[in-house]
Amino acid sequence: MKVLGIETSCDETGVAVYDTDAGLRAHALYSQIALHAEYGGVVPELASRDHVRKLLPLIRQTLAEAGLRTDELDGVAYTAGPGLVGALLVGAGVARALAWALDVPAIGVHHMEGHLLAPLMEDDPLGRPEPPFVALLVSGGHTQLVAVDRIGQYRLLGETLDDAAGEAFDKTAKLMGLPYPGGPQLAAQAELGTPGRFKFARPMTDRPGLDFSFSGLKTQVLLAWQNSDKTEQTRADIARAFEDAVVDTLAIKCERALDAAGCDTLVVAGGVGANQRLRARLAAMAAKRGGRVAFPRPMFCTDNGAMIAYAGALRLQAGQRADASVRVTPRWDMALLDAV
């Protein structure tokens, strides 16, 4: 089954073709970072308009790279939520129109399920992770620990009570004067920092439970920066201390989640999952307890069409279909999904 995947939930236009027999055939991604940089964040109306401008050319490009004609597609998958309603409607409208014209099934995919399943696309010498496992979904919009009993059957174990980890990275970078998007800039600064010069709390690790909170950590950084000499080295040292605090917090909670779920397989997805210090820390934690951790390739940590094509292919292959209406869900609880 050859499935076209379309991702337009926020500020990246992603398109891919996934073949259930041959794997990922082609993918393309257009980022709107430059468009939104002057505003310091995503402007929803501009994001929607740019998806309109880029989506059809990206579909043509991806099909050409896959060596496929449109009439060779067996299905279309698109992000139906959560996300920005205008941006979601662009992808949903194009996907539904294309599926109707080709007389093939289409299905709306939950954006976070796409992230959660992205590591399962990868070739792994240990084999594809099979449920049950624990998933850490860590991005600019979400920080969640999810017990995956089977594909489509998810139990929320813990989530952030305020800022998501990626959001905290971005806001912390901004308060120290780093350009948009701040998260990658802060991580780059952390590589130049001196470990241990600054020390920040590991939020909510001194109490039971699997929820997160990063707003207080952001405040600690603000006070440290305001009371410092504000040199480049100090900025790097604070960035390192902040990153160490976030990574330690995520690792501690992941280990607790594995214990709570009674399993030793961890799957990590979302934009922050590309952070090299986090990857190393979680890999060491998993090895110590005799388990394993699976990551997607860094390019598939951020929003992309490949994860939507893959998640959609699993559901279409299982016989799931949706009606022809163009419907999106900007707020969507993953626990409400049907099992595959």
Side-chain angles (χ1 to χ4, degrees):
M1 178 176 247
K2 302 173 187 67
V3 177
L4 178 74
I6 295 173
E7 155 62 20
T8 62
S9 65
C10 191
D11 62 336
E12 282 156 330
T13 313
V15 178
V17 174
Y18 186 84
D19 187 330
T20 54
D21 293 322
L24 187 62
R25 295 278 293 265
H27 63 94
L29 183 70
Y30 174 76
S31 175
Q32 300 176 3
I33 285 176
L35 174 67
H36 300 287
E38 65 177 294
Y39 304 101
V42 177
V43 181
E45 178 62 24
L46 295 181
S48 302
R49 293 181 184 182
D50 221 38
H51 288 310
V52 171
R53 183 173 68 91
K54 294 299 295 187
L55 185 52
L56 289 178
L58 277 180
I59 291 174
R60 296 189 191 101
Q61 174 189 329
T62 304
L63 289 173
E65 291 177 2
L68 294 172
R69 303 185 309 272
T70 52
D71 61 5
E72 294 179 281
L73 293 172
D74 301 304
V76 182
Y78 61 95
T79 303
L84 303 175
V85 63
L88 291 168
L89 283 168
V90 174
V94 170
R96 283 292 175 188
L98 186 58
W100 181 84
L102 297 174
D103 194 24
V104 298
I107 192 162
V109 172
H110 192 291
H111 179 76
M112 295 312 295
E113 181 177 55
H115 275 302
L116 187 153
L117 297 178
L120 278 60
M121 287 192 297
E122 306 292 349
D123 293 327
D124 192 312
L126 297 176
R128 179 176 293 171
E130 296 290 342
F133 56 76
V134 170
L136 171 66
L137 303 177
V138 57
S139 67
H142 298 80
T143 300
Q144 298 177 332
L145 283 163
V146 178
V148 179
D149 298 316
R150 57 186 290 194
I151 303 302
Q153 188 172 328
Y154 310 120
R155 290 182 291 115
L156 182 65
L157 300 176
E159 63 183 337
T160 184
L161 303 179
D162 41 58
D163 291 350
E167 181 184 8
F169 264 93
D170 288 339
K171 289 180 176 178
T172 299
K174 185 175 182 178
L175 67 85
M176 290 198 297
L178 294 172
Y180 174 87
Q185 301 281 346
L186 189 143
Q189 286 287 309
E191 290 299 311
L192 306 174
T194 304
R197 182 183 169 195
F198 291 88
K199 180 76 172 178
F200 300 127
R202 276 54 176 162
M204 296 183 70
T205 58
D206 59 347
R207 67 190 77 174
L210 295 171
D211 287 332
F212 302 89
S213 172
F214 294 106
S215 61
L217 179 58
K218 185 179 61 184
T219 302
Q220 291 179 57
V221 172
L222 175 62
L223 294 174
W225 176 245
Q226 288 177 337
N227 295 323
S228 74
D229 55 17
K230 296 185 174 62
T231 63
E232 289 298 315
Q233 186 58 52
T234 293
R235 180 187 279 114
D237 293 345
I238 291 175
R240 175 60 187 268
F242 171 82
E243 184 179 70
D244 284 344
V246 173
V247 166
D248 282 352
T249 300
L250 292 172
I252 291 167
K253 296 285 186 171
C254 282
E255 186 156 23
R256 288 183 186 175
L258 290 170
D259 290 338
C263 63
D264 283 311
T265 299
L266 177 68
V267 165
V268 183
V272 182
N275 182 282
Q276 293 303 308
R277 206 174 306 283
L278 177 62
R279 286 181 172 236
R281 180 77 162 79
L282 293 177
M285 179 270 291
K288 183 179 179 181
R289 58 187 289 135
R292 63 179 294 200
V293 58
F295 303 94
R297 278 174 277 173
M299 72 173 69
F300 295 142
C301 287
T302 55
D303 295 350
N304 63 87
M307 68 184 193
I308 302 304
Y310 178 70
L314 292 182
R315 290 188 171 275
L316 289 170
Q317 197 173 35
Q320 295 186 12
R321 305 289 188 271
D323 59 41
S325 60
V326 179
R327 194 179 293 125
V328 297
T329 310
R331 294 180 180 273
W332 190 1
D333 185 350
M334 201 162 61
L336 300 177
L337 295 175
D338 294 329
V340 175

